Amino acid sequence: MVGAGPAGSTAARIAAGMGLKVLILEKEKFPRYKPCGGALSERATSWLDLRLPEAVCEKAITGARIHYHEWVQDKVKAYRLSTLINRSAFDQFLLQKAIETGASVSFSRVLNYSSKEDHVSVQTDDQIYRSRFLIVASGCQDSLRSRISGKASRDDIGVCLVTEIEADDRDIEARLGSFLDIHFGIAGGGYGWIFPHRGYYSVGIGGLASQLRHPRMIMKGFLENNGFDRDQIIHGHTIPQGGKKKRISLGRVLLTGDAASLVDSFSGEGIYYALRSGEMAARAIGEEKERDVARLYEKRCNKELGEELRYALILSQAMHRHPKAFSWMLERHNEVLDRYIEIAAAKRSYKDFVRWLVPRLPMGILSAR
């Protein structure tokens, strides 16, 4: 197992629970800082078969404030849409649960691997390990993934910048309460966000690498325009664009989470897909043993995750290619946001939402891909 993030730790925990011998190889010591907005969707929370401790969960979110240029609208629900988490504590919690279940961990950097007919050899910076299977859960920047899915283009990669700004909880409550603050039209192919955590705001922007020119200048402007000091410590990271057909397994090697480009192209959510793909990879190995694990894993991912990711990509491409049409839609159809935010709460799918939306949009808008 390469990587101890949500995908890797979940795969390790599930596999160890099935009686498999599991070793996690992670390049960074835990707990470690992870640049992330920290919004865990309700569909991710409801799937996770673990109770998250209070130290992980910082705020329950029941509403969203959406900005689209000059247009602003608040939407609130009577139920939880997502939970803002401390990402460092969340990842540490998942790793600890994997260890408690029987997985081992070595903080080593993986340099390469070679796949044979009956095993995989994994070379780290201090030794070589042999295993029947290898799960790659080390993100989209790891060179290991490109050996399976190929090199990603700038049209397939998102760039995110994020900072954490300390604030008094009373001020945070007065400004946002239990709302996520989302700003479309800020970054090409993406959006800006302000999330109200416990004792700090997570503020960031994200967009496609091919469309987001001068991201640090945009980030500083976004901070200033929203009343924050523009001179913050800014962290950058990349995320893949999901929804496009890619190979995610080959022989005895399986890609999961960001490494497999399993990310919502519209919202940027990746944790849910990391958790699910980690589980599916572990179960494919545990159930199939020496048979065609790669084929089974890809089949399950495509069936359970592929359709949602494809519809999220369709929606994202349509919105960012036709911003005026979507602005018109938001201003005239009050129920658009109501229905969209139900996706995060696992009360509606992207497929249902897009199929409802299509007849209400100007003719042909979703046909442009």
Side-chain angles (χ1 to χ4, degrees), residues 176-187:
L176 287 177
S178 298
F179 279 61
L180 298 181
D181 198 14
I182 308 293
H183 298 247
F184 288 105
I186 299 296

Side-chain angles (χ1 to χ4, degrees), residues 292-310:
D292 196 350
V293 170
R295 187 188 64 81
L296 175 64
Y297 172 61
E298 289 221 17
K299 181 179 179 181
R300 287 181 177 175
C301 276
N302 189 57
K303 179 181 179 182
E304 299 186 33
L305 305 178
E307 185 174 69
E308 273 293 271
L309 291 171
R310 285 191 291 274

Side-chain angles (χ1 to χ4, degrees), residues 225-243:
N225 291 339
N226 285 280
F228 300 111
D229 186 341
R230 61 187 285 128
D231 295 322
Q232 304 288 340
I233 297 174
I234 297 173
H235 304 275
H237 66 287
T238 59
I239 60 172
Q241 184 182 57

Side-chain angles (χ1 to χ4, degrees), residues 20 62 80 103 113 118 126 136 152 171 189 244 292 309 332 344:
L20 301 179
T62 56
R80 187 173 60 189
Y113 74 85
D118 61 346
D126 58 0
V136 177
D171 295 335
K244 297 180 179 179
D292 196 350
L309 291 171
R332 287 162 178 77

Side-chain angles (χ1 to χ4, degrees), residues 51-57 93:
R51 182 177 179 180
L52 296 177
E54 186 177 338
V56 171
C57 303
F93 171 74

Side-chain angles (χ1 to χ4, degrees), residues 224-329:
E224 193 170 54
N225 291 339
N226 285 280
F228 300 111
D229 186 341
R230 61 187 285 128
D231 295 322
Q232 304 288 340
I233 297 174
I234 297 173
H235 304 275
H237 66 287
T238 59
I239 60 172
Q241 184 182 57
K244 297 180 179 179
K245 185 68 175 177
K246 291 181 180 293
R247 169 176 276 178
I248 61 172
S249 63
L250 181 64
R252 294 178 173 273
V253 183
L254 313 180
L255 305 181
T256 60
D258 282 16
S261 297
L262 298 174
V263 173
D264 181 326
S265 294
F266 190 84
S267 71
E269 179 185 12
I271 297 178
Y272 168 72
Y273 297 99
L275 298 172
R276 292 293 313 279
S277 61
E279 180 215 18
M280 285 188 277
R283 294 202 184 282
I285 293 171
E287 292 170 7
E288 288 299 288
K289 303 258 189 298
E290 299 300 328
R291 287 180 283 177
D292 196 350
V293 170
R295 187 188 64 81
L296 175 64
Y297 172 61
E298 289 221 17
K299 181 179 179 181
R300 287 181 177 175
C301 276
N302 189 57
K303 179 181 179 182
E304 299 186 33
L305 305 178
E307 185 174 69
E308 273 293 271
L309 291 171
R310 285 191 291 274
Y311 273 97
L313 177 61
I314 289 170
L315 182 64
S316 178
Q317 290 176 334
M319 178 180 181
H320 293 294
R321 289 176 181 177
H322 305 278
K324 290 184 179 180
F326 270 85
S327 179
W328 176 90
M329 186 74 186

